[in-house]
Amino acid sequence: MTQQMKQHPVFARFYAKVAGPALEKAGITEHRKRLLSGLSGEVIEIGAGDGLNLAHYPDKVTRLLAVEPEPRLRASAEQRARTVTVPVEVVDGRAEQLPAEDASFDAAVACLALCSVADPHAALAELHRVLRPGGQLRFFEHVQADSPAMRRVQRVVDATIWPLLMGGCHTGRDTLSAITAAGFTLTAVDGFAFPETRLPSPAATHILGTAERSQTGGTA
């Protein structure tokens, strides 16, 4: 039986009207451009949200499958898809059970998505499955902090209020380890704080990078 995705309609409205615009004002657009620069061929994006990445995909992308489980955000992404030149299909789906065939994409994108999926290990296994041998995973995520003190804060907020308030998001996931455990080889990683503020935040530590699916035919 397919596991039902817990919906977060209040957070979806908050993200679309408040959090999303605030991130744009803080300069996230430049990170989106870096994340997507140079992509080509057939691409899948998990947790596409309301489609803020869509306008930044290069023209060499011949097909983009944007997967988003939240109905309100997906509807906004569908509207944005009609305004861009890249061929986009926005579909309902969970990262842990992607609606795609094995080895059917040249690249995959995870942008601020692996923090909130119910099972990041299953999601990464699915991304590994749908990528062709040698395919590239692009990721931009907030992750486990570097300092032990902030990691303790992350553990507390993740076990209490943060996922409830932020649509299932977790601040302290060790996403790099999960990527390699899924069978990917890291090829580039840039770590930085975003947004840059004077006040410490459990969600400030970010990574942006690439990883490659092995050239062999098997899945992880």
Side-chain angles (χ1 to χ4, degrees), residues 7 21 30 51 53 61-62 74 77 86 95 97-98 104 107 126 140 145-146 155 163 173 183 212 220:
Q7 301 296 336
E30 291 308 309
N53 278 339
V61 171
T62 57
R74 189 170 63 249
V86 169
Q97 195 173 6
L98 293 174
S104 54
E126 277 288 271
F140 171 42
D146 296 324
R155 285 194 292 271
R173 286 181 170 171
E212 187 175 288

Side-chain angles (χ1 to χ4, degrees), residues 8-27:
H8 300 278
V10 174
F11 176 75
R13 295 189 186 97
F14 168 77
Y15 184 85
K17 294 183 178 180
V18 180
L23 290 173
E24 298 301 312
K25 186 176 180 179

Side-chain angles (χ1 to χ4, degrees), residues 60-107:
K60 289 186 178 181
V61 171
T62 57
R63 176 197 176 207
L64 173 60
L65 184 67
V67 182
E68 173 52 50
E70 173 57 55
R72 291 161 182 81
L73 295 177
R74 189 170 63 249
S76 296
E78 288 170 346
Q79 291 181 350
R80 281 196 168 93
R82 292 192 283 269
T83 68
V84 301
T85 57
V86 169
V88 182
E89 180 184 3
V90 180
V91 298
D92 181 12
R94 300 170 56 241
E96 300 94 332
Q97 195 173 6
L98 293 174
E101 299 295 324
D102 293 357
S104 54
F105 291 94
D106 301 298

Side-chain angles (χ1 to χ4, degrees), residues 169-184:
C169 172
H170 294 74
T171 65
R173 286 181 170 171
D174 187 359
T175 300
L176 282 181
S177 294
I179 289 172
T180 56
F184 290 98

Side-chain angles (χ1 to χ4, degrees), residues 108-158:
V109 173
C111 180
L112 304 180
L114 293 172
C115 60
S116 58
V117 296
D119 187 342
H121 297 284
L124 285 161
E126 277 288 271
L127 290 172
H128 191 277
R129 176 184 68 81
V130 303
L131 278 174
R132 297 177 177 122
Q136 191 177 69
L137 172 65
R138 301 282 187 97
F139 54 89
F140 171 42
E141 300 285 341
H142 67 80
V143 296
Q144 186 180 76
D146 296 324
S147 76
M150 184 54 75
R151 288 186 185 188
R152 287 194 290 271
V153 172
Q154 289 177 324
R155 285 194 292 271
V156 171
V157 299
D158 286 352

